[in-house]
Amino acid sequence: MEQQKGNSELLVGIDEKISVGRSILLGLQHVLAMDLYIAPIIIAGLLALDTSNTTFFVQMCFLAAGVATIIQTGFGIKLPVVQGPSYVPIGALAAIGGKLGLGAIYGSLIPGAILIALLGYPLKIFAKTVVKIIPPLVGGTVIVIVGISLMPNAFNSIYSAPGHLGHNVIIAAVSAGVLVACMILGKQAKSFGTFFRLVSVILAIIAGTITARLFGKIDFSAVSDAAWFSLPKLFPFGAPVFDMSAILTIVFIYLIILIETTGTWFVVSKVTDSELTEKRLNKASFGEGLGCFVGTLFGGTPMTGYSSNAGIIALTGVASRMAILAAGFILIALGLMPKLSALIISIPEPVINGIFGIVCVAIVMNGFKVIQHIVVDDRNMMVIGIPILLAIGVTVLPKDILYSLPDFANYLLSSGTGIGAISAVVLNLIIPPEKPKQNLQNAG
């Protein structure tokens, strides 16, 4: 994979060893900044699960994310990639579960996960496909689309969070402001700059949570009610049911997720200055499929690489895989200890999403860095611009229109990232490159 080489500003490289304590602190920072509990909560609501099943469902998604993160970072792509539940399949899973039951959800997820793994190994065709259809022009565009598509999620979560709108905006602004201040201090301060940059996300969460406390928006009752320890079990929501229409739908959804997560791999490779070789890409596809398969066994949903964590790497300058592996073990602990899961979920949404908005900015800027050296002629302008336009168009599509569409169209249009990524790939394939202009020299 040909990469545009960037100027690395990393404080800690991907293979650098750091202490266990530092790994846990930095891994915790990644976990706290993730909104991975939101997707399963949305799915649980659409499936009308009761409170206890919803809590357990979120726990299992934590567990699945931890296992998938360890597989991908430790044995798959071997880059600092944190896995979490994808937003892409929410509509499809809700529709399948509502019509065919929870068993059909997991019966449709298993074959798709196996297929994604096989594309990497032993078939080894994923990397060749990526090299052919996702050059830096498309990869950079996908990164930009990922960031832009996620921005409305941050704002919508702030606006729709329980409580007074003005209070929510202030809480989010404090969280974002502290993060930006820590970033600036990290660049300019001499003695304590590195410290502020390393713990910027944790400091932002603390400041936002204190602000939320002043407005009376902190509720830890769920923490006191939760148990300390809970063991997972295979297929907790019933034996899998294999329905061909559901399987075909989810296989297509998995392919969209794979394009989405490939965009994340581009982000991570850019911020860490790491080359995406064919071997690494094939192992990444295998790790993605294996992580999704194992997570499905314990009641999780499809996993994808989270671009927000790549944004955190860019903000903090710490890319050590040890920190991400620590994040994976923390996620597993959250899946096994309901009380800890409840504590994370208790962080007010405006706090997380104020930080998330700044992370989205970092993602977009890294996408522009990938394409900054590419000549933007009329052809490339369309390949870059139209997918961004379509991604925004899908993101702002009114929900009543989305839900009125046929199931397949509903599944497809539920993800601005998916639509944008697919359109970038297609446009790059069908629009012929412009012929180089020849310089005419006047005789005499």
Side-chain angles (χ1 to χ4, degrees):
M1 171 67 64
E2 183 182 349
Q3 298 274 102
Q4 294 287 352
K5 190 73 174 174
N7 295 321
S8 177
E9 298 181 355
L10 295 178
L11 300 174
V12 181
I14 61 173
D15 293 319
E16 288 188 43
K17 304 297 183 182
I18 56 179
S19 67
V20 174
R22 195 178 183 192
S23 298
I24 293 174
L25 177 64
L26 295 170
L28 179 63
Q29 185 166 242
H30 280 274
V31 172
L32 291 175
M34 294 176 73
D35 59 346
L36 59 79
Y37 57 87
I38 295 178
I41 286 178
I42 294 173
I43 295 173
L46 293 173
L47 294 174
L49 298 182
D50 58 29
T51 303
S52 61
N53 277 326
T54 297
T55 302
F56 184 75
F57 185 49
V58 172
Q59 274 182 246
M60 292 304 98
C61 286
F62 276 127
L63 178 67
V67 172
T69 296
I70 292 172
I71 289 174
Q72 192 66 285
T73 300
F75 311 101
I77 195 171
K78 289 189 176 180
L79 287 178
V81 176
V82 182
Q83 300 287 101
S86 173
Y87 285 84
V88 173
I90 286 178
L93 295 181
I96 292 170
K99 293 179 180 179
L100 303 174
L102 294 177
I105 290 179
Y106 296 101
S108 63
L109 291 176
I110 291 174
I114 294 173
L115 173 63
I116 297 303
L118 292 177
L119 290 177
Y121 282 97
L123 299 180
K124 298 183 181 181
I125 62 176
F126 175 73
K128 289 183 172 57
T129 304
V130 170
V131 170
K132 182 177 180 180
I133 70 174
I134 310 182
L137 173 66
V138 174
T141 301
V142 170
I143 296 171
V144 173
I145 288 170
V146 168
I148 291 177
S149 297
L150 291 174
M151 285 178 178
N153 292 335
F155 282 104
N156 289 332
S157 297
I158 293 169
Y159 298 150
S160 62
H164 191 276
L165 175 59
H167 296 169
N168 292 340
V169 172
I170 292 172
I171 294 167
V174 169
S175 302
V178 170
L179 178 58
V180 172
C182 288
M183 291 166 55
I184 295 173
L185 286 172
K187 293 289 187 181
Q188 298 181 356
K190 298 295 183 182
S191 56
F192 295 102
T194 301
F195 167 78
F196 281 111
R197 190 176 178 190
L198 289 175
V199 297
S200 55
V201 175
I202 287 181
L203 292 177
I205 290 174
I206 292 173
T209 303
I210 292 173
T211 305
R213 179 69 175 176
L214 296 176
F215 290 117
K217 292 181 65 63
I218 301 292
D219 181 13
F220 291 117
S221 59
V223 179
S224 59
D225 295 338
W228 274 107
F229 190 74
S230 170
L231 283 175
K233 56 183 178 180
L234 290 176
F235 300 118
F237 298 104
V241 176
F242 299 97
D243 179 86
M244 186 54 64
S245 62
I247 291 173
L248 293 176
T249 298
I250 294 300
V251 165
F252 181 78
I253 295 295
Y254 264 121
L255 294 177
I256 296 178
I257 294 174
L258 198 54
I259 294 176
E260 174 193 36
T261 201
T262 300
T264 296
W265 298 337
F266 271 101
V267 179
V268 174
S269 70
K270 178 62 185 176
V271 300
T272 61
D273 284 336
S274 301
E275 185 181 2
L276 287 177
T277 62
E278 285 196 13
K279 180 179 179 181
R280 177 166 267 167
L281 282 169
N282 282 327
K283 292 182 71 175
S285 180
F286 179 78
E288 184 87 0
L290 181 60
C292 289
F293 175 76
V294 175
T296 297
L297 298 180
F298 295 103
T301 59
M303 297 290 130
T304 186
Y306 264 42
S307 294
S308 58
N309 296 97
I312 292 170
I313 292 172
L315 297 179
T316 63
V318 179
S320 174
R321 290 194 298 134
M322 290 185 64
I324 304 305
L325 290 171
F329 284 109
I330 291 171
L331 288 169
I332 290 176
L334 291 173
L336 298 177
M337 303 179 71
K339 199 173 285 290
L340 293 181
S341 298
L343 181 63
I344 296 294
I345 296 172
S346 295
I347 299 174
E349 287 186 42
V351 175
I352 297 298
N353 286 286
I355 296 168
F356 187 51
I358 304 300
V359 169
C360 290
V361 172
I363 294 170
V364 172
M365 291 303 105
N366 278 292
F368 284 130
K369 287 180 182 179
V370 174
I371 60 179
Q372 66 179 337
H373 301 296
I374 296 174
V375 176
V376 184
D377 51 26
D378 289 343
R379 186 257 185 195
N380 290 345
M381 179 179 68
M382 295 304 168
V383 174
I384 297 170
I386 292 177
I388 294 175
L389 175 67
L390 294 176
I392 295 174
V394 169
T395 302
V396 300
L397 182 67
K399 296 301 181 184
D400 55 341
I401 296 178
L402 179 65
Y403 296 148
S404 67
L405 297 174
D407 288 345
F408 187 77
N410 186 321
Y411 306 154
L412 187 62
L413 296 175
S414 294
S415 170
T417 297
I419 289 294
I422 291 173
S423 59
V425 170
V426 172
L427 289 173
N428 185 63
L429 291 174
I430 65 175
I431 300 179
E434 292 190 2
K435 295 180 180 179
K437 296 180 180 179
Q438 296 181 350
N439 294 325
L440 299 179
Q441 297 179 349
N442 294 324

